[in-house]
């Protein structure tokens, strides 16, 4: 009897050891396979068990969560979804996350190290934290309403800090349509992907355009820095069309006066021949170096999500350089990049790295991370920046940017109308870049870039001054009026 019990006990121990070995094998050897198996819903169930943290604009949440009672319990909601979609992106149970929802996912889901290590600072373990943005609601609304459904984008920056005050891309979409994992979300996903206007594309930071004449701010800066031109009233125009070096192609101006223009007049009238010649005189190397200093050819910028690099081709012949210097050929820029160009001028020749997140907190408001101004860098000499400010102010007071003027404020700007398409057959892009300060303030408080892709006007009547400048004016006015 005793012998039988011993044998049974030994057999039980053997079975227990086998179970332990198998459990270890499953966890250590095959754990990754099971974890990656699409049929494993444990991670998703855990992810959506708690409400997701919120994204805030002006201390007001523009996101939320609703308890569906399902296995994937909490679903994302959005307030003013189309208005803030270029900032928040979407958080979908079926299609993942984008933009801030993706870049700050660890905070929003409660998986950030500080949230998981110190759960008592917030709610229960797994409770998401909050993300406070730099966006100014008045400026955001002014940009969205100003575009009025037209295809385009607006970015507004605070020059002294790099804070992004507005980021709008239209046409937009409601991220709430994608939040769930049911048939309605699937239908919305297919509809948005099939839409030729690409409403989910963030044109403000993920689309590059030929900047057209707004790039003449950079060309003027390069010419002044290289001392190719030393005075704003120095005559730089030459009579007649400009034959691009080594070609039979002639570049002409709309105004005959450009043939005898000073730099100030050429900037106000946006004379293509003048700035094409200046770019060639400056040279490809120095033009590329100046463009790089302004932020072109930077493929590492994150705000905190990635930004498409704006480009200035340094490997060009003189004819290509002439076109590049007036914002054509291979020169491409995001609206964010052109807002940075305006911010350099507004900031006295200095630049700050743009950023969109002010700080991150627990759900109870305890700060766990703070951004703040960073990356202060000199782009051009202060004396050059002062001259560029004078040029841009003249565009608004005496040139093509009169519709950007704001009573009680000093405004500087530059218009642009960029050709594109095969044989320049596409509807021209209307651009305006600008900055503004209240008359009693010492330094500009806002810098703006606006691009409109599909202006509703005859092709010959589409200009940055008529189409994009009024949008910039509305954004600047809202930013100056905000506390």
């Amino acid at each position: 009897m005793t012998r039988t019990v011993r044998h049974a006990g030994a057999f039980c121990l053997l079975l227990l050891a086998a179970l332990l070995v198998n459990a270890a094998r499953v966890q250590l050897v095959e754990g990754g396979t099971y974890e990656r198996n699409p049929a494993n819903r444990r991670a998703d169930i855990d992810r959506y068990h708690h409400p997701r943290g919120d994204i805030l604009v002006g201390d007001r949440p523009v996101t939320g969560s609703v308890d569906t009672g399902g296995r994937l319990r909490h679903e994302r909601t959005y307030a003013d979804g189309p208005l803030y979609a270029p900032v928040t992106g979407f958080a979908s149970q079926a299609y993942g996350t984008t933009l801030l929802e993706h870049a700050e996912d660890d905070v929003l889901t409660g998986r950030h190290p500080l949230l998981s290590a110190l759960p008592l600072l917030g709610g229960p373990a797994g409770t998401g934290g909050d993300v406070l943005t730099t966006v100014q609601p008045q400026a955001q609304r002014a940009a969205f309403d100003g575009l009025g459904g037209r295809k385009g984008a607006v970015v507004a920056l605070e020059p002294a800090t790099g804070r992004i005050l507005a980021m709008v891309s239209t046409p937009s979409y409601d991220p709430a349509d994608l939040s769930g994992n049911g048939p309605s979300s699937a239908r919305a996903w297919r509809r948005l992907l099939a839409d030729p206007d690409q409403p989910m594309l963030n044109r403000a930071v993920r689309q590059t355009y030929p900047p057209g004449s707004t790039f003449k701010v950079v060309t003027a800066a390069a010419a002044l820095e290289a001392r190719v031109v030393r005075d704003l009233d120095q005559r730089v125009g030459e009579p007649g069309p400009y034959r691009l070096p080594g070609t039979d192609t002639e570049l002409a101006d709309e105004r005959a006066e450009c043939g005898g223009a000073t730099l100030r007049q050429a900037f106000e009238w946006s004379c293509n021949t003048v700035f094409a010649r200046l770019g060639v005189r400056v040279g490809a190397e120095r033009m590329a170096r100046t463009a790089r200093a302004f932020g072109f050819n930077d493929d590492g910028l994150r705000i905190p999500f990635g930004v498409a690099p704006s480009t200035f081709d340094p490997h060009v012949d003189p004819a290509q350089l002439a076109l590049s210097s007036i914002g054509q050929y291979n020169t491409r820029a995001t609206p964010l990049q052109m807002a940075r160009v305006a911010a350099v001028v507004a900031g006295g020749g200095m630049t700050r790295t743009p950023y969109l997140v002010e700080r991150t907190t627990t759900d109870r408001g305890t700060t766990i991370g703070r951004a703040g101004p960073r990356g202060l860098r000199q782009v051009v000499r202060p004396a050059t920046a002062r001259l560029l400010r004078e040029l841009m102010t003249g565009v608004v007071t005496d040139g093509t940017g009169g519709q950007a003027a704001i009573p009680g404020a000093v405004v500087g700007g530059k218009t642009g109308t960029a050709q594109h398409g095969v044989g320049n057959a596409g509807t021209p892009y209307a651009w305006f870049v600008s900055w503004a300060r209240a008359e009693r303030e010492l330094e500009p408080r806002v810098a703006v870039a606006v691009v409109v892709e599909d202006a509703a006007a005859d092709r010959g009547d589409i200009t940055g001054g008529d189409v994009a400048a009024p949008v910039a004016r509305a954004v600047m006015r809202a930013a100056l009026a905000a506390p």
Side-chain angles (χ1 to χ4, degrees), residues 7-21:
H7 287 171
F11 184 66
C12 289
L13 288 174
L14 183 62
L15 290 176
L16 180 60
L19 286 172
L20 292 174
V21 170

Side-chain angles (χ1 to χ4, degrees), residues 54-77:
D54 284 324
I55 296 172
L56 284 75
V57 172
D59 295 327
R60 181 179 73 89
V62 297
T63 60
S65 295
V66 60
D67 191 342
T68 65
R71 294 186 71 190
L72 304 185
R73 186 169 170 182
H74 289 93
E75 190 174 298
R76 197 56 149 165
T77 62

Side-chain angles (χ1 to χ4, degrees), residues 133-306:
T133 70
T134 60
V135 173
Q136 199 177 78
Q138 300 94 326
Q140 184 81 0
R141 174 58 70 179
F144 188 80
D145 292 346
L147 285 174
R150 293 172 295 179
K151 196 183 300 183
V154 178
V155 174
L157 298 175
E158 187 175 67
T161 62
R163 296 170 70 236
I164 297 174
L165 304 179
M167 180 184 293
V168 167
S169 175
T170 56
S172 191
Y173 71 104
D174 191 346
D177 292 343
L178 303 174
S179 293
N181 58 13
S184 62
S185 293
R187 286 193 298 270
W189 178 255
R190 290 192 298 268
R191 171 177 54 80
L192 290 169
L193 288 181
D195 192 328
D197 286 336
Q198 298 179 282
M200 289 194 294
L201 172 64
N202 188 340
R203 290 173 165 82
V205 296
R206 296 280 175 84
Q207 178 78 353
T208 61
Y209 304 86
S213 292
T214 59
F215 190 78
K216 290 172 184 173
V217 177
V218 179
T219 303
L224 291 166
E225 287 285 283
R227 290 184 165 80
V228 169
V229 181
R230 296 174 179 271
D231 188 279
L232 299 188
D233 296 311
Q234 176 182 334
R235 178 174 170 173
V236 289
E238 296 181 20
Y242 174 48
R243 177 170 291 181
L244 300 180
T247 75
D248 294 328
T249 303
E250 290 188 339
L251 191 65
D253 292 304
E254 293 184 2
R255 299 181 63 134
E257 299 96 319
C258 287
T262 64
L263 180 62
R264 186 191 308 275
Q265 293 168 331
F267 196 84
E268 292 174 0
W269 300 338
S270 204
C271 299
N272 283 334
T273 59
V274 170
F275 286 91
R277 285 190 177 98
L278 284 177
V280 173
R281 289 175 62 189
V282 170
E285 182 179 349
R286 285 188 294 191
M287 279 295 301
R289 186 164 61 242
T290 302
R292 258 195 317 272
F294 272 93
F296 286 80
N297 298 332
D298 179 3
D299 59 3
L301 178 62
R302 303 188 67 83
I303 60 171
F305 47 83

Side-chain angles (χ1 to χ4, degrees), residues 400-412:
T400 56
Q403 292 203 51
I406 301 173
V410 177
V411 179

